[in-house]
Amino acid sequence: MHYNLCFIGFGNVARSLVRLLERKRDVLKSKHNVTYSITGIATGKHGFAVNPDGLDIQKAFELVESGQDISQLTNHQPFDFAQGKSPITNSLDVIQHSSANVMFENSPVNTQTGQPAVDHIRAALNLGMHAITANKGPVVHGCRELTALAAERGKKFRFESAVMGGAPVFSVMREAFPLAEIESFKGILNATTNVILSRMEGGESYEEALAYAQKIGLAETDPTNDVDGWDAAIKVAALVTVLWDAPLTPQQVNPTGIRGITPEMIAEAKAAGRRYKLVCSAEKTDGKIQVGVAPQLVDAASPLYGMMNSSTGVTFRTDVIIDYSIILSEKPGMTGGPEETAYGLFADFVNIARS
Ligand code: HSE
């Protein structure tokens, strides 16, 4: 089948995804009989482009990467171009006029409201598209509504990359654990704080370690979201919301960050064979869910002890498979970069296409 794809948000993650799609173009066709065109792009700073016959993606990259506007690529017959101005002036125009079958939503999101991602996804589903996002906001703020809307339209709403980048978490728990009851989960879901705590153990100051996490592109634009536990909290909220169908906000997680952990505390813990980790946890007992994000001391007996630097991981306890862990190991440079996040989006697309 041929898919028209539109991209709402065309930053590093979306562009990595386009590169990955191009790299896998032949195998997509040979293994799954999937072909694709990119028919719509909405950028934050470089305009909007639509061509239902397929945009010149090479040209779109050149324009965006040289700081130019992509609107000149728009070619859409119903419109009169006599004015020489593109009639496509916002993301919703792109969604509406791109004739896409799949929308990738990766625009900057307000994590307090999930907007504008929720509106984009709602519009795409209403137009009969599948919607795929790496954003946590719409998962936390719109999961029930958007999943129901998708089901009503016979489409999918997918968000594998929202937690642990491209590592399969949601799809594994959805597809590979039929009728299992998840009793709890525990892990490290924020890489920045793990880098900071690891490097402080190695002797760096908090400021030096944070600067390193920013340098390798791991920290959020506003790193207070990492160090105060909000990024971890929204990931916990996303897991709880999806896996237990129990809507939860980051505010309800009420996280404690790592600012209170001093070099002295880390040295003292080290001398005792222990380490501080920003531990994310959730447990369901008699239908009641308790959640937490807070620094905890762990010793060598804990699976979290050996997760250093940018590695992240989570262990699910279920009623059938007792402890099932997913670990994203650290690698030189970083974990959770745009390529890994792009892979989660790509995997969502392939999984939709082959089902
Ligand atoms: N700032 C995030 C982290 C990036 O450090 O884990 C990935 O969501």
Side-chain angles (χ1 to χ4, degrees), residues 48-271:
F48 308 89
V50 162
N51 183 348
D53 294 326
L55 288 160
D56 180 343
I57 196 67
Q58 208 53 46
K59 188 78 185 150
F61 266 67
E62 281 168 27
L63 289 170
V64 167
E65 285 169 2
S66 61
Q68 297 178 66
D69 201 289
I70 61 169
S71 307
Q72 57 187 279
L73 300 179
T74 288
N75 187 359
H76 191 23
Q77 291 314 318
F79 290 102
D80 177 5
F81 282 93
Q83 301 294 321
K85 263 181 89 178
S86 169
I88 308 288
T89 57
N90 60 50
S91 297
L92 290 170
D93 285 345
V94 173
I95 295 168
Q96 195 180 345
H97 296 292
S98 59
S99 302
N101 311 100
V102 177
M103 179 199 64
F104 292 101
E105 211 295 342
N106 295 295
S107 65
V109 67
N110 177 336
T111 52
Q112 306 285 319
T113 63
Q115 293 293 11
V118 171
D119 283 348
H120 294 157
I121 293 167
R122 195 185 286 128
L125 292 169
N126 273 323
L127 286 164
M129 300 174 199
H130 301 289
I132 301 174
T133 186
N135 275 326
K136 298 171 273 279
V139 179
V140 166
H141 297 283
C143 188
R144 258 193 197 167
E145 178 212 328
L146 298 172
T147 302
L149 179 58
E152 197 183 294
R153 303 283 159 157
K155 301 295 163 192
K156 302 283 189 216
F157 167 48
R158 290 289 183 255
F159 38 77
E160 188 56 84
S161 289
V163 174
M164 286 181 70
V169 178
F170 293 110
S171 56
V172 169
M173 301 316 290
R174 184 176 56 236
E175 307 291 342
F177 281 86
L179 301 186
E181 277 182 30
I182 300 168
E183 295 171 349
S184 66
F185 65 82
K186 186 170 184 174
I188 296 171
L189 296 174
N190 178 264
T192 297
T193 45
N194 211 29
V195 163
I196 293 173
L197 293 171
S198 300
R199 290 178 80 90
M200 283 176 75
E201 189 181 315
E204 283 188 6
S205 68
Y206 169 85
E207 288 75 18
E208 287 167 335
L210 172 58
Y212 175 79
Q214 288 176 303
K215 193 183 88 181
I216 63 172
L218 201 54
E220 298 293 299
T221 318
D222 177 359
T224 57
N225 281 328
D226 294 293
V227 298
D228 291 334
W230 290 105
D231 176 70
I234 195 167
K235 288 168 176 167
V236 168
L239 287 171
V240 168
T241 299
V242 175
L243 299 177
W244 283 321
D245 188 24
L248 185 78
T249 64
Q251 286 72 20
Q252 288 171 298
V253 178
N254 191 19
T256 304
I258 62 161
R259 286 189 212 245
I261 309 294
T262 63
E264 294 71 32
M265 289 162 75
I266 288 176
E268 205 175 298
K270 189 176 175 183

Side-chain angles (χ1 to χ4, degrees), residues 266-282:
I266 288 176
E268 205 175 298
K270 189 176 175 183
R274 301 202 287 177
R275 283 184 175 135
Y276 283 97
K277 296 288 180 191
L278 186 67
V279 178
C280 298
S281 59

